[in-house]
Amino acid sequence: MSVQERKQRERADRERLIVATARELAEQQGWDAVTTRRLAERIEYSQPVLYSHFRGKREIIGAVALQGATELATAVRAATATATGPRAQVTALARTYLDFAATHPAVYDAIFQLDGGLPYAQDNTPEPLKDAFAALQETLATVAGDDIHPGLFTEVFWAALHGIATLTREGRLPPEDTQQRLDLVVDRLAAF
């Protein structure tokens, strides 16, 4: 291995460590606790080393969002692949989405709530974000209905799930009714 290859590998390892540490800290204490000073202390590198990888917290949030979007897409595809029939697939998609939001709240916020400096719904949207949307649309396009654009239907369905996820987490919707809400979204929006 050349010296340059070793340095590139070490740089990539440091970047992964920064992102993993930020993610862990955010999940434990919230994004307000994620500062470059605290990250530098935890990973035992100086703040200038952090800044050589990321210009600041915003870019770190963006890196967590991209990683999380990839994980969400993978989870949705795995759940829908094992479900039999359109209704079961849509239900699996919805349940997986809500479970992801509940079990990874800081990552969910990085993807959908916080400013990570990433463009959404544009030509230059990063591939992991496009793929997360595609993972939803792959299943939802089959139940959108003949006269409804699959992308538009996916946006509306996603908005409903996002609302359930965020309002439940913030205590504005009682969690014990989540399954009933999920059933309403699946049954009323999708054309089976």
Side-chain angles (χ1 to χ4, degrees), residues 165-180:
T166 56
L167 292 171
T168 302
R169 186 171 82 190
E170 296 300 320
R172 285 163 173 77
L173 294 176
E176 62 272 11
D177 295 332
T178 298
Q179 186 60 49
Q180 288 176 288

Side-chain angles (χ1 to χ4, degrees), residues 87-135:
R87 187 181 194 293
Q89 289 174 330
V90 172
T91 300
L93 177 151
R95 179 84 268 146
T96 300
Y97 184 95
L98 293 177
D99 288 347
F100 184 90
T103 57
H104 306 290
V107 175
Y108 186 84
D109 285 350
I111 302 168
F112 299 116
Q113 302 280 92
L114 301 175
D115 179 10
L118 304 172
Y120 285 76
Q122 299 174 22
D123 290 339
N124 63 336
T125 298
E127 199 54 44
L129 298 177
K130 288 180 181 180
D131 189 51
F133 186 80

Side-chain angles (χ1 to χ4, degrees), residues 2-165:
S2 73
V3 172
Q4 185 172 349
E5 289 172 332
R6 182 181 53 77
K7 285 184 179 185
Q8 287 175 338
R9 188 185 75 228
E10 289 171 354
R11 180 172 177 76
D13 288 345
R14 271 194 311 272
E15 222 165 85
R16 279 191 292 278
L17 178 62
I18 293 166
V19 171
T21 304
R23 184 175 170 163
E24 178 183 317
L25 187 57
E27 291 292 3
Q28 291 171 352
Q29 299 176 30
W31 278 106
D32 287 343
V34 179
T35 64
T36 54
R37 172 176 281 153
R38 190 174 269 165
L39 285 174
E41 289 171 2
R42 284 216 175 178
I43 64 172
E44 298 178 348
Y45 283 105
S46 68
Q47 284 183 325
V49 169
L50 252 86
Y51 286 117
S52 73
H53 290 275
F54 300 99
R55 286 183 287 205
K57 182 176 176 177
R58 182 178 185 216
E59 284 190 5
I60 294 169
I61 290 169
V64 170
L66 295 176
Q67 189 180 73
T70 298
E71 293 168 10
L72 177 60
T74 300
V76 165
R77 285 188 176 111
T80 57
T82 59
T84 306
R87 187 181 194 293
Q89 289 174 330
V90 172
T91 300
L93 177 151
R95 179 84 268 146
T96 300
Y97 184 95
L98 293 177
D99 288 347
F100 184 90
T103 57
H104 306 290
V107 175
Y108 186 84
D109 285 350
I111 302 168
F112 299 116
Q113 302 280 92
L114 301 175
D115 179 10
L118 304 172
Y120 285 76
Q122 299 174 22
D123 290 339
N124 63 336
T125 298
E127 199 54 44
L129 298 177
K130 288 180 181 180
D131 189 51
F133 186 80
L136 300 176
Q137 188 170 325
E138 288 162 9
T139 295
L140 295 172
T142 64
V143 297
D146 294 335
D147 57 341
I148 299 173
H149 187 279
L152 183 63
F153 180 78
T154 301
E155 290 170 353
V156 171
F157 198 93
W158 166 39
L161 293 178
H162 178 70
I164 293 169

